[in-house]
């Protein structure tokens, strides 16, 4: 296995020493700007019931939990390495019942329909095996009037990196917006920001 494939697989599902230390640090640094964009786009209310889809090491879960007093944020990830870190980082919120962390594949977990006020995901859309099916499930579990936020990097800068095409499926922002509207959301909009010479997007879809 070449390093491109190894790194791409670690980005999708971190594991072992490399996942625990290297990928976790990369996520914290690399996702920070997108996390801030997503926080703003979510317009979190204190009573919201929110899902972090692909919660990684729980850094963003902890940030969202600070805004919630009477609601709950759930995180799900299929990396055991990331789940252990997420639970450790959010222990005080878990003990208070504000945070719940679940190990598993989002697509196979039986969330009830109309269950969450808001769902978000940061830098995971590249890994959706069946994007239409996943988007439709997200729409189903969000309450009417609820919001889904997908945050990700611009396709042009991702294409310049040595990422495995067998692992990463890259999208333009307009392609993501169209995917969501075709999967059960009534509308979507693209919010784009730059940091230096890099471009980042949040697609905000309303059910």
């Amino acid at each position: 296995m070449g390093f491109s494939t190894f790194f791409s697989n670690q980005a999708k599902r971190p594991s072992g020493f490399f996942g625990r230390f290297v990928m976790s640090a990369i996520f914290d640094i690399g996702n920070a700007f997108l996390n801030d964009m997503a926080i703003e786009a979510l317009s979190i209310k204190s009573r919201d019931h929110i899902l972090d889809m692909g919660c990684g090491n729980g850094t963003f879960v902890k940030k969202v939990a600070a805004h919630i007093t009477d609601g709950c944020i759930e995180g799900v990830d299929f990396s055991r390495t990331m789940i252990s870190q997420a639970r450790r980082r959010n222990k005080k919120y878990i003990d208070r019942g504000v945070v719940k962390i679940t190990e598993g594949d989002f697509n196979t977990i039986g969330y009830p329909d109309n269950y969450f006020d808001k769902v978000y995901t940061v830098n995971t859309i590249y890994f959706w095996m069946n994007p239409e099916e996943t988007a439709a499930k997200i729409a189903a579990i969000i309450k009417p009037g609820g919001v889904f936020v997908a945050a990700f990097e611009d396709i042009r800068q991702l294409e310049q990196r040595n990422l495995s095409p067998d692992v990463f499926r890259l999208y333009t922002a307009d392609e993501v917006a169209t995917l969501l509207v075709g999967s059960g959301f009534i509308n979507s909009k693209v919010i784009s920001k730059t940091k230096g010479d890099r471009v980042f997007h949040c697609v905000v879809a309303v059910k």
Side-chain angles (χ1 to χ4, degrees):
M1 179 190 298
F3 184 76
S4 171
T5 301
F6 171 78
F7 183 86
S8 297
N9 281 318
Q10 283 287 328
K12 179 179 180 180
R13 190 173 194 167
S15 62
F17 180 90
F18 192 90
R20 181 180 179 188
F21 294 101
V22 179
M23 293 310 302
S24 185
I26 288 174
F27 291 158
D28 281 346
I29 296 168
N31 289 348
F33 190 76
L34 276 175
N35 287 350
D36 289 341
M37 285 183 66
I39 281 272
E40 185 176 351
L42 283 165
S43 298
I44 300 166
K45 305 294 190 296
S46 62
R47 293 180 179 272
D48 278 344
H49 186 190
I50 300 175
L51 176 67
D52 183 331
M53 179 183 161
C55 65
N57 63 20
T59 295
F60 195 19
V61 169
K62 187 176 182 180
K63 195 167 188 176
V64 173
H67 294 260
I68 294 175
T69 54
D70 301 311
C72 175
I73 174 167
E74 299 191 35
V76 61
D77 203 291
F78 62 7
S79 166
R80 181 163 296 181
T81 299
M82 291 293 98
I83 286 294
S84 64
Q85 291 193 358
R87 286 174 175 159
R88 185 165 58 251
R89 290 188 179 193
N90 289 277
K91 185 178 185 306
K92 75 171 183 177
Y93 289 114
I94 292 171
D95 290 345
R96 286 166 44 190
V98 175
V99 167
K100 177 182 177 182
I101 303 292
T102 300
E103 180 184 348
D105 185 338
F106 168 80
N107 290 291
T108 61
I109 294 176
Y111 295 112
D113 288 351
N114 306 316
Y115 189 57
F116 295 101
D117 297 295
K118 294 162 185 174
V119 177
Y120 68 86
T121 191
V122 177
N123 269 341
T124 72
I125 193 169
Y126 327 112
F127 310 125
W128 294 2
M129 296 290 291
N130 299 292
E132 292 82 8
E133 181 181 315
T134 298
K137 179 172 180 177
I138 295 167
I141 65 175
I142 293 177
K143 298 173 184 176
V147 171
F148 173 58
V149 174
F152 51 97
E153 291 198 50
D154 188 78
I155 189 172
R156 287 166 293 186
Q157 59 212 30
L158 291 172
E159 287 174 338
Q160 296 173 9
R161 299 176 192 166
N162 191 26
L163 302 172
S164 171
D166 294 329
V167 181
F168 277 78
R169 179 173 179 172
L170 305 183
Y171 301 85
T172 66
D174 287 341
E175 285 173 339
V176 176
T178 300
L179 167 67
L180 296 176
V181 170
S183 302
F185 292 93
I186 59 174
N187 62 62
S188 63
K189 66 178 180 179
V190 178
I191 301 170
S192 301
K193 292 187 178 182
T194 59
K195 182 181 181 183
D197 60 352
R198 298 171 69 192
V199 181
F200 301 87
H201 307 291
C202 277
V203 175
V204 183
V206 178
K207 180 177 176 182

